[in-house]
Amino acid sequence: MWQTNPLDRRIHPFRSRLLLPALCYHVPYSSLTMFLGGNQRERDSATAYRMSVEVLNTLVGSGIQGQIVGSHHASMQQNCDTENGTLANGTSLLTDTLENTRRSYMVAATVLGSLYCLSCLVLFFGVKEQPGPLSPLGKTRLPFFRSLRVILSHRSYVWLLCGFLCASLAFQLAQGIFAFFCTHAAGLPGSFQHLVLIMLVVACLSIPVWQWFLVRFGKKTAVFVGLSLIIPALIVITLVTHNFLVFAFMVALAGCSLSVLYLLPWSMLPDAVDDFKLRNPTCLNLEAFFYSFYVFFNKFAGGLSLGVSTMSLHFAGYNVKDCTHNQQVILTLRILMAPIPIALLLTSMALFCSYPINEERRKEMRIQMEASGSHPGQTESPDSNAT
């Protein structure tokens, strides 16, 4: 969305290459959840702890970035109001403000990138993975394309993957334009970073509640209830303007739903892996495939949401240097904020409804895996776990 100079365009390929190490870190990090607990309850608890820390880290990162760049968004709107849309000195002043905003994003990216490298070092030196006697590393290695075909033909995993893609796309589409929506459509410039912090705080505090809820009522019920909470919040956000208190309450409700997206799909994935192992007992050590596609579709949803929002605003006539925007841009922001995410959420809920693993099936899988002694983490030696 930013006006970039030729030097910035030349370093775009280098920026894209930075995503590859991030994926190489995220896939094995996520797949370690399969080996952190013995039974299903312990594994779900480990997932809840992991996602709570992940949301907390997202909260810290958003707070750092919001404090660095939020003031520049407010000053940009203030310059627009001061100049009252005049073209003489207003264009120069606004250009300087945009340059300062771009520089602030670079500073925030440097700080967050340093923290990311630190977390990689902690994971690398703090976690030691050792092969267990029941599932040693390299015991069975299928060809890559055969493994791919077997995994993508597993019905439970496909339904879960498609539902996660639609839900992730809905949330990331709304989150991606939230700053622009608050500035240009909601009349709350400079307040979006506070709203984001409220949403993430509520999301972090809600994860233990949803963990209790899924244990009490089941994972599929928790998904339906949690994802439905954000639908009225999105509707109210698009209809109400210049009211911070209403926005704060609605983003808190959206934060409760966001915690479901963080927790439930990642808690349901190990069940799909267990179901695959029971149906394909000769296919071992394929957890990385399951988690890599999960991570890929999550990143794909982020890139797709960014592309959809950018192209939509471009065709609507959005210009980053304009102080005021036409009604077509405002309408596009409202459509991207509510109707499209709601349609995607309803689609994801329909896909999760077709997800075949319910609580009865989970009990059957637990009994079968305990009888065969092949449950993840249940080995003859404590050295078989990832510690």
Side-chain angles (χ1 to χ4, degrees):
M1 300 296 293
W2 298 108
Q3 298 287 338
T4 57
N5 53 41
L7 177 60
D8 291 330
R9 297 189 183 100
R10 286 195 296 269
I11 64 177
H12 280 326
F14 175 74
R15 292 173 179 171
S16 63
R17 293 190 190 99
L18 294 178
L19 295 177
L20 180 60
L23 289 175
C24 293
Y25 165 77
H26 200 180
V27 171
Y29 162 73
S30 302
S31 61
L32 284 174
T33 307
M34 284 294 299
F35 309 102
L36 290 178
N39 53 39
Q40 293 177 351
R41 183 180 293 272
E42 292 176 352
R43 194 174 55 202
D44 291 341
S45 178
T47 302
Y49 279 110
R50 182 175 72 85
M51 300 316 298
S52 298
V53 175
E54 187 168 333
V55 176
L56 180 61
N57 292 335
T58 304
L59 172 63
V60 173
S62 299
I64 293 174
Q65 178 173 333
Q67 294 303 317
I68 294 176
V69 306
S71 59
H72 294 284
H73 279 279
S75 62
M76 182 173 63
Q77 185 64 30
Q78 183 179 5
N79 290 336
C80 287
D81 297 337
T82 302
E83 298 296 334
N84 197 20
T86 57
L87 187 61
N89 296 329
T91 301
S92 176
L93 185 60
L94 186 59
T95 301
D96 294 339
T97 304
L98 288 173
E99 181 63 25
N100 293 333
T101 306
R102 187 185 68 86
R103 190 178 298 110
S104 67
Y105 271 102
M106 294 180 63
V107 173
T110 302
V111 175
L112 296 179
S114 301
L115 295 176
Y116 193 86
C117 293
L118 179 62
S119 65
C120 293
L121 294 176
V122 171
L123 178 64
F124 181 78
F125 291 104
V127 178
K128 301 299 181 182
E129 185 179 7
Q130 299 175 351
L134 294 179
S135 181
L137 297 177
K139 179 178 180 179
T140 301
R141 292 187 179 276
L142 297 178
F144 175 81
F145 290 103
R146 183 184 173 188
S147 301
L148 193 63
R149 179 175 57 84
V150 172
I151 289 174
L152 294 182
S153 63
H154 186 54
R155 179 169 173 261
S156 302
Y157 181 66
V158 171
W159 284 113
L160 183 61
L161 191 64
C162 294
F164 177 62
L165 173 63
C166 292
S168 180
L169 181 59
F171 275 85
Q172 295 193 58
L173 183 61
Q175 288 178 339
I177 66 166
F178 188 67
F180 296 99
F181 182 85
C182 290
T183 302
H184 303 300
L188 295 173
S191 300
F192 79 92
Q193 69 271 20
H194 305 298
L195 296 172
V196 170
L197 290 178
I198 293 173
M199 180 174 61
L200 291 177
V201 168
V202 173
C204 185
L205 297 177
S206 300
I207 287 183
V209 178
W210 287 114
Q211 174 65 19
W212 169 84
F213 191 93
L214 70 88
V215 173
R216 181 66 176 82
F217 299 100
K219 296 182 180 181
K220 293 181 68 173
T221 303
V223 167
F224 291 130
V225 175
L227 293 182
S228 62
L229 290 178
I230 196 175
I231 295 178
L234 292 176
I235 295 175
V236 174
I237 285 175
T238 55
L239 296 178
V240 177
T241 59
H242 301 88
N243 194 326
F244 180 81
L245 293 179
V246 173
F247 264 68
F249 181 77
M250 289 299 106
V251 298
L253 190 61
C256 293
S257 186
L258 179 64
S259 62
V260 173
L261 181 67
Y262 271 98
L263 176 62
L264 266 301
W266 292 103
S267 180
M268 298 166 73
L269 178 58
D271 298 332
V273 177
D274 287 345
D275 184 60
F276 174 82
K277 288 182 177 180
L278 290 174
R279 298 178 186 274
N280 303 274
T282 59
C283 299
L284 301 177
N285 302 324
L286 296 181
E287 292 85 0
F289 280 88
F290 286 92
Y291 281 86
S292 62
F293 274 99
Y294 229 53
V295 174
F296 168 76
F297 273 83
N298 188 28
K299 303 300 182 182
F300 175 75
L304 184 60
S305 64
L306 180 60
V308 169
S309 60
T310 302
M311 293 298 295
S312 300
L313 291 175
H314 171 74
F315 288 119
Y318 175 82
N319 187 357
V320 68
K321 292 186 177 181
D322 291 342
C323 289
T324 58
H325 299 281
N326 55 49
Q327 290 300 317
Q328 189 174 1
V329 173
I330 305 301
L331 178 61
T332 302
L333 287 172
R334 296 186 185 277
I335 293 175
L336 293 174
M337 193 67 192
I340 296 180
I342 290 175
L344 291 171
L345 285 171
L346 294 177
T347 303
S348 69
M349 293 170 67
L351 292 171
F352 283 126
C353 182
S354 302
Y355 180 65
I357 301 178
N358 51 23
E359 294 305 306
E360 289 75 14
R361 175 57 183 164
R362 292 184 71 237
K363 293 179 181 178
E364 294 177 1
M365 292 191 302
R366 182 174 66 249
I367 294 174
Q368 294 176 15
M369 300 194 77
E370 288 177 352
S372 61
S374 58
H375 204 289
Q378 291 183 348
T379 58
E380 299 175 358
S381 171
D383 296 336
S384 61
N385 292 333
T387 59

